[in-house]
Amino acid sequence: MTTLNVADHMHALGAQAKVASAQMAKASAAVKNTALRKLAALLRDNIAALQIDNAKDIERAIAAGLDAPMVDRLKLTPKVLETCAQGCEQLAAMPEVIGEITGLKEQPSGIRVGQMRVPLGVFGMIFESRPNVTIEAASLSIKSGNACILRGGSEAIESNKALAKLVQQALSESGLPTDAVQLVQTTDREAVGHLIAMPEFVDVIIPRGGKGLIERISRDAKVPVIKHLDGNCHTYVDDPCDIAMAVTVADNAKTQKYSPCNASESLLVARGVAAEFLPKIGAIFAAKGVEMRCSPEAKTILTQVKGANLKDATEQDWFEEYLGPIISIKVVEGLDEAIAHINHYSSHHTESILTRDHMHAQRFLREVDSSSVMVNASTRFADGFEYGLGAEIGISTDKFHARGPVGIEGLTSLKYVVLGQGEIRT
Amino acid sequence: MTTLNVADHMHALGAQAKVASAQMAKASAAVKNTALRKLAALLRDNIAALQIDNAKDIERAIAAGLDAPMVDRLKLTPKVLETCAQGCEQLAAMPEVIGEITGLKEQPSGIRVGQMRVPLGVFGMIFESRPNVTIEAASLSIKSGNACILRGGSEAIESNKALAKLVQQALSESGLPTDAVQLVQTTDREAVGHLIAMPEFVDVIIPRGGKGLIERISRDAKVPVIKHLDGNCHTYVDDPCDIAMAVTVADNAKTQKYSPCNASESLLVARGVAAEFLPKIGAIFAAKGVEMRCSPEAKTILTQVKGANLKDATEQDWFEEYLGPIISIKVVEGLDEAIAHINHYSSHHTESILTRDHMHAQRFLREVDSSSVMVNASTRFADGFEYGLGAEIGISTDKFHARGPVGIEGLTSLKYVVLGQGEIRT
């Protein structure tokens, strides 16, 4: 496409989404849920056809020399599609949030004032590789009564187009506007620049991808961005704590999976339990090949662990999100130092205290300034599904609007409703 | 101050506010309420002293040739100060919102997940003329556990400095950090540029003032802005409606006060009641000297009104916020056209339907995309105090984060809390 065409295409998508959003906002729960169940059925009915389109992306990816994990993430296997279908059905089964009126109270003037939950309007979603995000975003958009414009990665364009067609078929067969879910049809990078700069059509942008992409979008966007940057998550082993439990949870938080943003990257240990706790977790990390970047005190204790890969932590290590088999470890005096360390070095994503002390737990929950704060649980739980949100469009590391895993409610807003009987201001 | 000094001053304010915000976030409700009541007492004890400082601003304003209404808005009369003191006491009496945990539910994994209300952190407030905003902002900031940096208008600098000193005294005597409420000490315009571009220290900016100021700040800010632009509010007189009530409410919505943003600027009238309703409201507007800018059909009906000042409405009139004795009037077919007109021309602030039809009322509430939607009430009620918020830091015409009048909750965020007993992800 020429420059003009991309601009025209994006403008058209924006204008159409805006119109569709008004229809979606007043759509009934029954109709939206019908569309979601139709979409689930269409995904199951079209497994073979979808795999033909998906194969085009896979072939191109292999020809382009993408590595095996990247190619794997592109695949629309029957299992992936079944998971997508089930996700749609789960959303359909969830209670309706749009139109709910809360807090309706009579005021001294006689008017009754409450708040109604309404859709945000139009969101733009920018994502990379995994084509099933098309279905996740589309289904959340339908359930929340929004319209959306989806911009997937160029490597998955054929798969995304095929999936988006099924979404539009489900919308159309349910009496909803097909423009409620639109896929950007060009892989031209310029399209993103337009999508994030149409405040007249788009209410919010949700980018999912690498930190570089998200920083670039946040900097250039002319509308609000629900953004997820680093996940430098901490596990703090308190004194007193159940050492066996602490070992199990700290191990899980780091090693159950290295790549997710909610994996713990830093382990803080209270001095009072360090001599008992560190050799135990150190032996597990050594056995799993996890490199330990230690404060001097932690290193002194961990040298007794056979086969431990120990390094001295630099100042930068306390900020680092490794997303791999590396962890930074520090011995701290106790709760105060742990909270101060976390609030200074953390990316404000997810932190967990492992403790038996109720007062410490309460203070940790209140004073740690992160989107998820946990007591005696693995940081790996920070996830929309685990939190019972039904689905997750992303995780916000901002405080404004939505914080933490973003589900249906994060795509909504509250407007005031006032019910009177002819009251006037005097 | 030289350029360097303004930058240094603002950087220092930001860094100090950030430190103070952590202390405010963990301050107990009792301590915050003590500070608010101390502030109320200090305002009452210092009426004479405050008026001496206020007189300096008044003299300067008169010497500069400011008009009488502008000078009036600067005045810290005993009555204004008493209202400020009462506002602080009312906030102190309100329930605590910080630390509240809602929705704590057990998930299939065994963890319990809920959300805790926490302060946003640091907000910057930019306002013009009325110095009592210093107390309104400071008291809301204290109650909500935030820290704030206040930038008042240069015309009120002496009054603002005197008020800010009392706020800091109240904080200090209650054991709270004085940096929790800081006033920008320079009137240099450059200070605003720094305040809105310190994402490392400031979480949100709240501008209050003319549309030009707010547009400039929104464009240049590097942090989120809670903004209030136009108030092109509509009153729609439906068919069927109680004509006498509709006349009273429509009159109040327009003429009770012309300058507020929640005054109605546009009157839509269903065709079925236009012949009966319009001459009645037209006579009142004519008597009060309100100019009527009419659609052709409205004008035809209103020509029978003696002394009516009728003009033909232009396309631009439907967008206009007059803030004066002018109103645009249109006859519409009915509810559908009214909703379509409002959603197209409104600034999404406040709209009211005057009706007896329950289905119409329900549809209006659901389908009109504005921050406040009303049934049978004057648009003039769109206000934090009237809504029972206790206080209002501003009104948001955005959908993101806060929408409509912004009180304590608009200055807070929700973080996830997870309570476990050693659960791990499998």
Side-chain angles (χ1 to χ4, degrees):
Chain A
M1 287 196 183
T2 68
T3 301
L4 186 66
N5 279 349
V6 175
D8 283 353
H9 176 55
M10 295 310 294
H11 190 276
L13 291 184
Q16 288 157 11
K18 181 88 182 170
V19 172
S21 73
Q23 295 167 265
M24 290 302 288
K26 61 182 177 184
S28 72
V31 167
K32 291 185 288 185
N33 293 336
T34 298
L36 289 169
R37 282 188 289 259
K38 268 190 203 293
L39 176 53
L42 286 170
L43 288 169
R44 292 193 181 105
D45 291 349
N46 287 275
I47 290 177
L50 285 167
Q51 286 188 292
I52 292 169
D53 288 308
N54 185 233
K56 297 176 200 162
D57 289 330
I58 304 285
E59 276 164 36
R60 201 159 21 89
I62 292 169
L66 263 68
D67 61 18
M70 280 290 281
V71 173
D72 270 351
R73 293 169 69 192
L74 279 178
K75 283 184 185 161
L76 285 179
T77 62
K79 196 183 154 205
V80 166
L81 289 167
E82 176 57 27
T83 303
C84 285
Q86 284 178 13
C88 294
E89 287 169 341
Q90 281 163 17
L91 273 178
M94 285 184 73
E96 178 70 10
V97 301
I98 298 301
E100 182 188 22
I101 294 179
T102 50
L104 199 68
K105 280 186 197 144
E106 188 172 318
Q107 300 301 323
S109 63
I111 60 173
R112 283 181 300 149
V113 180
Q115 288 181 295
M116 183 192 284
R117 194 167 287 283
V118 291
L120 280 178
V122 176
F123 69 89
M125 176 118 181
I126 298 158
F127 55 102
E128 297 171 334
S129 66
R130 294 191 309 119
N132 42 325
V133 174
T134 300
I135 298 300
E136 289 173 22
S139 57
L140 265 170
S141 182
I142 293 168
K143 182 75 181 184
S144 59
N146 286 286
C148 65
I149 301 173
L150 307 177
R151 158 65 186 220
S154 57
E155 65 284 1
I157 184 76
E158 299 300 333
S159 312
N160 288 336
K161 280 184 179 176
L163 290 168
K165 256 189 203 161
L166 295 183
V167 173
Q168 296 195 325
Q169 187 183 338
L171 288 165
S172 163
E173 290 179 3
S174 314
L176 290 171
T178 55
D179 291 339
V181 177
Q182 297 177 101
L183 181 75
V184 175
Q185 297 292 313
T186 168
T187 57
D188 192 318
R189 275 166 180 271
E190 199 197 323
V192 172
H194 291 289
L195 181 57
I196 66 176
M198 306 193 291
E200 68 279 28
F201 299 133
V202 177
D203 294 286
V204 57
I205 292 288
I206 306 172
R208 263 166 66 165
K211 196 181 170 187
L213 170 84
I214 293 171
E215 281 179 339
R216 216 160 48 239
I217 285 169
S218 302
R219 196 185 53 228
D220 297 337
K222 305 280 181 231
V223 298
V225 176
I226 296 180
K227 63 174 170 290
H228 172 267
L229 294 170
D230 307 283
N232 175 22
C233 303
H234 293 73
T235 296
Y236 166 56
V237 180
D238 192 31
D239 176 16
C241 74
D242 178 329
I243 296 286
M245 184 263 270
V247 170
T248 306
V249 174
D251 172 30
N252 183 265
K254 178 67 216 176
T255 72
Q256 193 254 342
K257 214 170 177 182
Y258 294 118
S259 59
C261 56
N262 54 20
S264 280
E265 304 291 8
S266 202
L267 180 64
L268 305 178
V269 184
R271 183 159 295 131
V273 298
E276 187 182 356
F277 172 79
L278 276 177
K280 292 189 164 77
I281 192 78
I284 293 173
F285 286 161
K288 293 187 178 178
V290 176
E291 178 184 320
M292 292 168 259
R293 302 205 180 163
C294 306
S295 71
E297 196 174 343
K299 197 177 176 194
T300 302
I301 299 172
L302 285 163
T303 44
Q304 64 179 271
V305 176
K306 272 192 198 159
N309 182 358
L310 306 180
K311 293 232 168 94
D312 293 317
T314 64
E315 172 71 8
Q316 181 54 34
D317 275 308
W318 308 119
F319 288 108
E320 207 65 51
E321 182 184 24
Y322 303 112
L323 299 175
I326 308 174
I327 191 165
S328 62
I329 304 180
K330 186 181 192 179
V331 173
V332 294
E333 178 56 37
L335 182 70
D336 284 327
E337 191 183 342
I339 292 174
H341 179 97
I342 291 170
N343 284 342
H344 182 73
Y345 292 103
S346 167
S347 61
H348 310 292
H349 188 300
T350 299
E351 335 290 346
S352 184
I353 183 175
L354 310 180
T355 188
R356 285 204 77 97
D357 188 306
H358 182 69
M359 306 275 275
H360 287 187
Q362 295 291 96
R363 280 194 55 207
F364 190 89
L365 290 177
R366 174 78 180 250
E367 295 176 29
V368 169
D369 182 29
S370 294
S371 70
S372 287
V373 285
M374 304 183 165
V375 178
N376 294 335
S378 169
T379 56
R380 289 278 293 110
F381 280 111
D383 173 283
F385 290 96
E386 294 292 341
Y387 283 5
L389 304 186
E392 175 186 292
I393 195 99
I395 293 185
S396 166
T397 49
D398 277 334
K399 293 183 195 177
F400 205 67
H401 188 70
R403 197 174 184 191
V406 179
I408 299 166
E409 287 205 359
L411 295 173
T412 67
S413 181
L414 295 170
K415 70 179 178 190
Y416 281 97
V417 295
V418 175
L419 305 181
Q421 303 87 36
E423 282 82 358
I424 57 172
R425 267 301 271 280
T426 48
Chain B
M1 287 195 183
T2 67
T3 301
L4 186 67
N5 279 348
V6 175
D8 284 353
H9 176 55
M10 296 310 294
H11 189 275
L13 291 185
Q16 289 157 9
K18 181 87 181 170
V19 171
S21 73
Q23 295 168 265
M24 290 301 289
K26 61 182 179 183
S28 71
V31 167
K32 290 185 287 185
N33 293 337
T34 298
L36 289 168
R37 282 188 290 259
K38 267 190 203 294
L39 176 54
L42 285 170
L43 288 168
R44 292 195 180 104
D45 291 349
N46 287 275
I47 291 177
L50 286 167
Q51 285 188 293
I52 292 169
D53 288 309
N54 185 233
K56 296 175 199 162
D57 289 330
I58 305 286
E59 276 164 37
R60 201 158 21 89
I62 292 169
L66 262 68
D67 62 15
M70 282 289 282
V71 173
D72 271 351
R73 292 168 70 193
L74 280 178
K75 283 185 185 160
L76 286 178
T77 62
K79 197 184 154 205
V80 167
L81 290 167
E82 176 58 26
T83 303
C84 286
Q86 283 178 14
C88 294
E89 288 169 341
Q90 281 163 16
L91 274 178
M94 287 184 73
E96 178 70 12
V97 300
I98 299 300
E100 183 189 22
I101 295 179
T102 49
L104 199 68
K105 279 186 198 143
E106 188 171 318
Q107 300 301 323
S109 63
I111 61 173
R112 284 179 301 148
V113 180
Q115 287 180 297
M116 183 192 285
R117 193 166 287 283
V118 292
L120 280 179
V122 176
F123 69 88
M125 175 118 183
I126 299 158
F127 56 102
E128 297 170 334
S129 66
R130 295 190 309 120
N132 41 325
V133 175
T134 300
I135 299 299
E136 289 173 23
S139 56
L140 265 170
S141 182
I142 293 168
K143 182 75 181 184
S144 58
N146 286 286
C148 66
I149 301 172
L150 307 177
R151 158 64 185 218
S154 57
E155 65 285 1
I157 184 76
E158 299 299 333
S159 312
N160 288 336
K161 280 185 178 174
L163 291 168
K165 257 188 202 160
L166 295 183
V167 173
Q168 297 197 323
Q169 187 182 338
L171 288 165
S172 162
E173 290 179 1
S174 313
L176 291 171
T178 54
D179 290 339
V181 178
Q182 298 178 101
L183 181 75
V184 175
Q185 297 291 314
T186 167
T187 58
D188 192 320
R189 276 165 180 271
E190 199 197 324
V192 172
H194 292 289
L195 182 58
I196 66 176
M198 305 193 292
E200 67 278 28
F201 299 132
V202 177
D203 295 286
V204 59
I205 292 289
I206 307 172
R208 265 167 65 167
K211 196 180 170 187
L213 170 83
I214 293 170
E215 281 179 339
R216 217 162 46 240
I217 286 170
S218 303
R219 195 185 55 227
D220 298 338
K222 305 280 179 233
V223 296
V225 177
I226 296 180
K227 62 172 170 291
H228 170 268
L229 294 169
D230 304 283
N232 175 22
C233 303
H234 292 72
T235 296
Y236 166 56
V237 180
D238 191 34
D239 176 15
C241 73
D242 178 328
I243 296 285
M245 185 262 269
V247 171
T248 306
V249 173
D251 172 30
N252 182 265
K254 178 68 217 174
T255 73
Q256 193 253 343
K257 215 169 178 183
Y258 294 117
S259 58
C261 56
N262 55 19
S264 280
E265 304 291 8
S266 202
L267 181 63
L268 305 178
V269 184
R271 183 160 293 131
V273 298
E276 187 182 356
F277 171 78
L278 276 176
K280 292 189 164 78
I281 193 76
I284 292 173
F285 286 161
K288 294 188 176 178
V290 177
E291 177 184 320
M292 291 167 260
R293 303 204 180 163
C294 306
S295 70
E297 196 174 343
K299 198 179 176 193
T300 303
I301 298 172
L302 284 163
T303 43
Q304 64 179 273
V305 176
K306 274 193 198 159
N309 181 1
L310 306 179
K311 294 231 168 94
D312 294 318
T314 63
E315 172 71 6
Q316 181 55 33
D317 275 308
W318 308 119
F319 287 109
E320 207 65 50
E321 181 183 24
Y322 303 112
L323 299 174
I326 309 173
I327 191 165
S328 63
I329 303 180
K330 187 181 193 179
V331 172
V332 294
E333 178 57 37
L335 182 70
D336 285 328
E337 190 183 343
I339 292 174
H341 179 98
I342 291 171
N343 284 342
H344 182 72
Y345 291 104
S346 167
S347 61
H348 310 293
H349 189 299
T350 298
E351 336 289 346
S352 184
I353 183 175
L354 310 180
T355 187
R356 283 205 78 97
D357 187 307
H358 183 69
M359 307 273 275
H360 287 188
Q362 295 291 97
R363 278 195 54 207
F364 191 88
L365 289 177
R366 175 78 179 250
E367 295 176 28
V368 170
D369 182 28
S370 294
S371 70
S372 287
V373 286
M374 304 182 166
V375 178
N376 294 334
S378 169
T379 56
R380 289 279 292 109
F381 279 112
D383 173 283
F385 290 95
E386 295 291 340
Y387 282 6
L389 306 186
E392 175 185 291
I393 195 99
I395 294 184
S396 167
T397 49
D398 278 333
K399 293 181 193 177
F400 204 68
H401 187 71
R403 197 174 184 194
V406 180
I408 300 165
E409 286 204 0
L411 295 173
T412 67
S413 181
L414 295 170
K415 69 180 178 189
Y416 281 97
V417 294
V418 176
L419 305 181
Q421 302 86 37
E423 281 81 0
I424 56 172
R425 268 301 273 280
T426 48

